[in-house]
């Protein structure tokens, strides 16, 4: 018995697949001699060839998405970068320095300018201060850094479970502006929990392929678990950039 002819798997179009299957028929049986397009068997092979073309196309696409050099979908690029511990940058806000002044020197009191104080510039572009600053008694001005964006303040309650996740409702979030305060304690933003201790008040902020941002806390071994609370004890503040 002679060996069956090998199919060329580089044939990925429907017509090529159909011709490959039709040419293999004589080696399988001598009873099928009608290769007319109206033949029921040929009709079925045509259907199979068109289905195979679609499946091969999907296989090629998914194979390409498995490598950075050939990936075309943002989701694939984000997931591949995660495998090597690299996170794509999200929104990066413009930065500036603001100077707050009072008309005359007040020697009796200190004026506080809270963090996230908003100042509007040209074309109503908003900048928010990045930290709290004071105009001390006896002085007339103070300088502070600022980032472009509109501040958002979220209130959440801790569920006491490890690896708590909070999805921010906005896109275009400036990751560098995210600030988390739990029960009055400021938590530190880090890139990874690998170096965190069980008592470390750390959190991460990750962005996915849709630009959605998720704040994640520790599991009790790598990073502290936010405590259970029956009221809103977690305050998350961030900037939504233009």
């Amino acid at each position: 018995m002679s060996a069956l002819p090998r199919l060329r798997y580089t044939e990925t179009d429907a017509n090529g697949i159909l011709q490959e299957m039709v040419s293999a028929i004589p080696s399988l049986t001598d009873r099928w001699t009608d290769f007319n397009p109206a033949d029921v068997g040929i009709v079925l092979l045509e259907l199979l060839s068109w289905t195979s073309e679609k499946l091969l196309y999907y296989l090629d696409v998914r194979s390409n998405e498995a490598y950075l050099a050939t990936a075309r979908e943002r989701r694939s690029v984000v997931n591949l970068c995660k495998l090597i511990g690299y996170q794509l940058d999200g929104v990066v806000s413009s930065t500036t320095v603001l100077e707050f002044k009072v008309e005359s020197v007040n020697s009796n009191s200190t004026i506080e300018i809270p963090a996230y104080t908003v100042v509007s510039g040209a074309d109503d572009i908003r900048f928010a201060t990045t930290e709290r600053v004071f105009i001390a008694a006896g002085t007339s001005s103070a300088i502070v850094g600022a980032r472009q964006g509109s501040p958002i303040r979220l209130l959440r309650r801790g569920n006491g479970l490890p690896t708590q996740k909070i999805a921010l409702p906005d896109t275009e979030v400036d990751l560098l502006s995210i600030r988390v305060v739990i029960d009055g304690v400021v938590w530190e933003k880090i890139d990874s929990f690998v170096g965190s201790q069980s008592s470390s008040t750390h959190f991460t902020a990750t962005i996915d392929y849709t630009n959605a941002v998720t704040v994640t806390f520790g599991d009790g071994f790598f990073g502290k678990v936010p405590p259970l609370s029956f009221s809103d004890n977690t305050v998350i503040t961030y900037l939504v950039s233009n």
Side-chain angles (χ1 to χ4, degrees):
M1 182 177 178
S2 60
L4 296 177
R6 298 178 65 110
L7 295 177
R8 295 193 301 272
Y9 294 105
T10 55
E11 292 284 4
T12 58
D13 65 285
N15 291 330
I17 296 172
L18 177 62
Q19 293 304 318
E20 286 286 316
M21 290 190 292
V22 171
S23 63
I25 292 175
S27 62
L28 298 174
T29 179
D30 57 358
R31 301 177 63 182
W32 190 348
T33 58
D34 185 3
F35 301 147
N36 191 289
D39 181 73
V40 174
I42 298 300
V43 171
L44 292 176
L45 290 183
E46 288 180 349
L47 292 174
L48 180 59
S49 65
W50 284 106
T51 303
S52 298
E53 179 185 17
K54 289 187 176 182
L55 292 175
L56 289 172
Y57 168 76
Y58 293 139
L59 286 173
D60 287 344
V61 169
R62 299 321 306 167
S63 298
N64 289 334
E65 295 301 312
Y67 301 93
L68 276 175
T70 54
R72 292 295 179 267
E73 296 181 9
R74 179 177 174 82
R75 179 193 312 205
S76 302
V77 174
V78 171
N79 291 335
L80 288 170
C81 288
K82 285 182 179 179
L83 295 177
I84 57 174
Y86 180 82
Q87 178 174 285
L88 297 184
D89 288 333
V91 170
V92 179
S93 295
S94 302
T95 60
T96 188
V97 174
L98 299 176
E99 181 179 13
F100 290 86
K101 291 184 176 182
V102 293
E103 293 182 355
S104 60
V105 175
N106 187 344
S107 59
N108 298 323
S109 61
T110 297
I111 300 174
E112 177 186 351
I113 301 170
Y116 295 101
T117 297
V118 176
V119 175
S120 295
D123 299 324
D124 198 31
I125 297 177
R126 296 184 174 186
F127 283 81
T129 57
T130 55
E131 59 185 349
R132 183 173 59 171
V133 68
F134 298 90
I135 300 178
T139 62
S140 61
S141 66
I143 295 176
V144 63
R147 302 181 70 83
Q148 188 279 316
S150 299
I152 304 295
R153 188 172 184 264
L154 295 180
L155 297 177
R156 295 291 186 270
R157 63 184 60 180
N159 56 22
L161 299 177
T163 320
Q164 295 180 40
K165 296 180 182 294
I166 299 177
L168 304 186
D170 299 283
T171 57
E172 311 303 326
V173 174
D174 180 359
L175 296 183
L176 296 178
S177 71
I178 298 176
R179 185 172 184 261
V180 174
V181 179
I182 301 178
D183 292 329
V185 177
V186 178
W187 288 47
E188 180 185 357
K189 179 180 174 296
I190 58 172
D191 294 329
S192 170
F193 288 108
V194 171
S196 300
Q197 305 298 319
S198 60
S199 60
S200 301
T201 52
H202 292 166
F203 73 93
T204 63
T206 55
I207 185 171
D208 68 9
Y209 66 96
T210 64
N211 285 336
V213 176
T214 302
V215 172
T216 306
F217 299 96
D219 58 6
F221 296 96
F222 297 97
K224 184 178 180 179
V225 177
L228 173 65
S229 176
F230 297 100
S231 60
D232 294 330
N233 68 330
T234 301
V235 181
I236 302 177
T237 313
Y238 57 90
L239 295 178
V240 175
S241 176
N242 287 351

